[in-house]
Amino acid sequence: MLFVRHGQSEFNVVYGATGRDPGIEDPALTELGQAQIRHSAQALRGHDVDHIVSSPYRRALETAHIIAEVIDREIRIEPLIREHRHFICDIGRTRTKLQADWPHLAFDHIDEQWWTDHHEEEHEVHARVSAFLDANHRRTDWDRVVCVSHWGFINRLTGLPVGNGTVVKVQRDGAGEVVHTPDP
């Protein structure tokens, strides 16, 4: 399975420069973030991909959309691979708002509020990682799925601290290896 960390977001710009939460709920990708993902999507063209699985956060959905345009694959939504709830940017949009904003995607299988109201503890994030691995361990298409996720989830899954737009190949046991880092 390949995991892609979303491209640079509005949050990442401010937090990277100041170390402070700018208070942006569900931020969008920046122009640099879009360029990072176009670059990563080109690298994914060489992989046999059946579909894309995305976190429901806007930055992940925008990332998945760019990848889908390049490799022409369907996007499915999976809240388990969302970011851990630490900052204001980790407040998402309700299922109803997501359905209105992304009418071509299916959100009917997720809760109206699919993110937590509280700061997620490490054991909670690790429980989501375990639930994801348990639910997907026996997939026959494991090597043909691209998941668009976040630093916190990918880090807890693989132990790797990945930058925006990085592509990581993940084994069924959660071991990961960086296979692409975007140039921009």
Side-chain angles (χ1 to χ4, degrees):
M1 195 172 282
L2 296 171
F3 270 77
V4 180
R5 181 180 175 200
H6 64 79
Q8 181 193 64
S9 71
E10 299 162 326
F11 169 87
N12 296 135
V13 172
V14 177
Y15 188 78
T18 68
R20 291 182 294 143
D21 186 343
I24 305 168
E25 288 185 12
D26 204 14
L29 293 181
T30 63
E31 286 185 27
L32 173 59
Q34 293 171 19
Q36 290 169 329
I37 297 308
R38 283 192 296 273
H39 190 267
S40 295
Q42 291 301 322
L44 292 171
R45 291 183 95 175
H47 294 271
D48 185 20
V49 176
D50 286 347
H51 61 272
I52 301 163
V53 176
S54 180
S55 155
Y57 285 114
R58 179 179 178 181
R59 57 202 181 269
L61 290 167
E62 289 177 355
T63 295
H65 189 293
I66 293 168
I67 294 169
E69 286 178 342
V70 172
I71 66 171
D72 191 28
R73 293 296 179 264
E74 167 187 318
I75 300 170
R76 299 177 187 171
I77 308 304
E78 177 52 73
L80 283 175
I81 63 173
R82 70 185 181 272
E83 182 60 287
H84 56 249
R85 178 73 178 3
H86 283 217
F87 301 105
I88 299 297
C89 69
D90 303 324
I91 296 172
R93 288 178 288 160
T94 63
R95 178 186 64 225
T96 301
K97 288 181 183 176
L98 288 169
Q99 286 174 327
D101 292 343
W102 302 87
H104 62 288
L105 298 177
F107 295 95
D108 55 332
H109 63 288
I110 69 172
D111 293 335
E112 183 66 13
Q113 180 179 321
W114 45 268
W115 66 96
T116 63
D117 281 331
H118 64 279
H119 178 94
E120 270 187 296
E121 300 294 330
E122 286 298 311
H123 73 275
E124 292 174 293
V125 181
H126 284 288
R128 280 196 290 111
V129 167
S130 292
F132 177 81
L133 288 173
D134 289 348
N136 290 282
H137 184 73
R138 294 200 165 127
R139 291 183 78 114
T140 58
D141 64 348
W142 177 275
D143 292 326
R144 297 185 312 277
V145 177
V146 170
C147 294
V148 178
S149 189
H150 307 268
W151 186 92
F153 188 87
I154 296 170
N155 179 261
R156 295 330 179 276
L157 174 64
T158 66
L160 299 172
V162 296
N164 294 109
T166 299
V167 181
V168 178
K169 183 173 182 160
V170 178
Q171 303 302 322
R172 292 177 192 270
D173 64 359
E177 170 189 7
V178 172
V179 295
H180 175 78
T181 304
D183 284 340

